[in-house]
DNA sequence: ATATAGGTTGACGTATACGTTAGGCACGAC
DNA sequence: GTCGTGCCTAACGTATACGTCAACCTATAT
C-alpha cells in the first residue's frame, strides 16, 4: 500500500488540466517530479502541490506569485514567514478585488445608462417609421 | 472660426494617451485622419471618435468590438443597425460583468477565509514561541 | 549651415499562460 | 518487425494593447 504514482497525463486528467500545463508548471519551477529515465513520475505530494497551484490560480494569483509562496513552503520549516507572506498577498489581493468591484459597479451603471438610451432611441425610430408608413 | 486642428501629439496629450496609441488605433482602422504631406491632421470629428474609442475601452470592450461599432456608424445613416448592435454588445457586456461580479464575491469569500486561517495559525505560533521563551 | 523640435514608418519587445506542431524514443501487441 | 500508444524536448504561435527603439524627413530658428 505505497503511495499512488501518476504519469503526467494521469495527473493532468485527474485535475482537469492538460499534460502541457503540468509540464509548463515544471518549466516555471512550480513542480519537480521525479523521473524514471526521461519519464516524469508524480507522487501524492506533487498532486497536492498542483492542487495548491490551481487553487491559487482560481483566486487570481499569477504563477510567479504562486511560485514564491511554494518556494517559501520548501524553505521555511517553521512556516512563519510563509504565513506572513501569504497573509500579505491575500490582503493585497482582497484590496485589489474591492477596487475591481467598485470599478465594476460603476461600469455596470454606465452600461445600463447606455442601454436605456439605446432602447429609447430605437423606440423613437420605430414610432417615426410607423408614422411614415401610414 | 474654422474647426480646431490637432497634430498627433496634441490630440494625444489632450486626451491623455500617447501618440503611439493614437497611431496604433489608426493602424487598427479605428481612426483615419487627413494628411498634410506625411503628417497626420486631426479634426474635431477625429477627436470625438477617439473619445468614443476611449470610452469603449473604459467600459471593457476590445478594440475589435469598438471598431465594429464605429464601422457601423460610418455605414448606417439611419443608425438603426448601429443601435441594435450597440444594444446587443452592451447587454452581453452587462451579463458578463454580472458573472464576473458573482465570481468576484465568491473569490473574496475564499480569500477572507484564508486570511482568517492564516491569522489564526500565526497567533497560535506566537503563543507557542512565547511559551518556549519563558 | 546647423541645431532642435516634432513628425513618419517599420519592426521587435513586453506580459501571461499555455496551445500546437514537429520530430523522436521506447515498449507491448500482433 | 512494425503498428499504435504514450512520453519527451524544442520552439514557434496566440491574444491584447501598446512601449520602445532605430533611422529618417522636414520646417523653423539661429
Amino acid at each position: 500500500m505505497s503511495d499512488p504514482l501518476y504519469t503526467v497525463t494521469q495527473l493532468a486528467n485527474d485535475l482537469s488540466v492538460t499534460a502541457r500545463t503540468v509540464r509548463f508548471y515544471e518549466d516555471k519551477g512550480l513542480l519537480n517530479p521525479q523521473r524514471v529515465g526521461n519519464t516524469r513520475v508524480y507522487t501524492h505530494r506533487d498532486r497536492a502541490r498542483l492542487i495548491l497551484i490551481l487553487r491559487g490560480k482560481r483566486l487570481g494569483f499569477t504563477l510567479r506569485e504562486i511560485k514564491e509562496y511554494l518556494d517559501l513552503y520548501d524553505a521555511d520549516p517553521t512556516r512563519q514567514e510563509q504565513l506572513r507572506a501569504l497573509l500579505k498577498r491575500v490582503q493585497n489581493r482582497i484590496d485589489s478585488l474591492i477596487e475591481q468591484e467598485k470599478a465594476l459597479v460603476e461600469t455596470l451603471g454606465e452600461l445600463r445608462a447606455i442601454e436605456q438610451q439605446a432602447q429609447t432611441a430605437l423606440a423613437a425610430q420605430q414610432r417615426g417609421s410607423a408614422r411614415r408608413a401610414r
Side-chain angles (χ1 to χ4, degrees), chain A residues 2-7 10-11 34 36 41-44 46:
Chain A
S2 52
D3 298 340
L5 297 178
Y6 312 83
T7 167
Q10 286 167 358
L11 182 62
Q34 298 171 260
V36 172
V41 175
Y42 299 85
T43 70
H44 70 292
D46 296 314

Side-chain angles (χ1 to χ4, degrees), chain A residues 6-26:
Chain A
Y6 312 83
T7 167
V8 228
T9 317
Q10 286 167 358
L11 182 62
N13 289 340
D14 192 3
L15 299 184
S16 300
V17 295
T18 68
R20 168 66 174 123
T21 297
V22 178
R23 293 197 196 99
F24 180 74
Y25 290 166
E26 178 176 350

Side-chain angles (χ1 to χ4, degrees), chain A residues 29-64:
Chain A
L30 299 173
L31 291 174
N32 260 325
Q34 298 171 260
R35 301 267 182 152
V36 172
N38 249 352
T39 300
R40 295 168 173 82
V41 175
Y42 299 85
T43 70
H44 70 292
R45 278 169 190 270
D46 296 314
R47 192 184 124 95
R49 229 177 137 91
L50 181 48
I51 290 177
L52 265 187
I53 296 171
L54 297 177
R55 188 180 187 201
K57 278 209 53 185
R58 203 163 36 76
L59 294 176
F61 296 100
T62 67
L63 293 185
R64 180 187 303 273

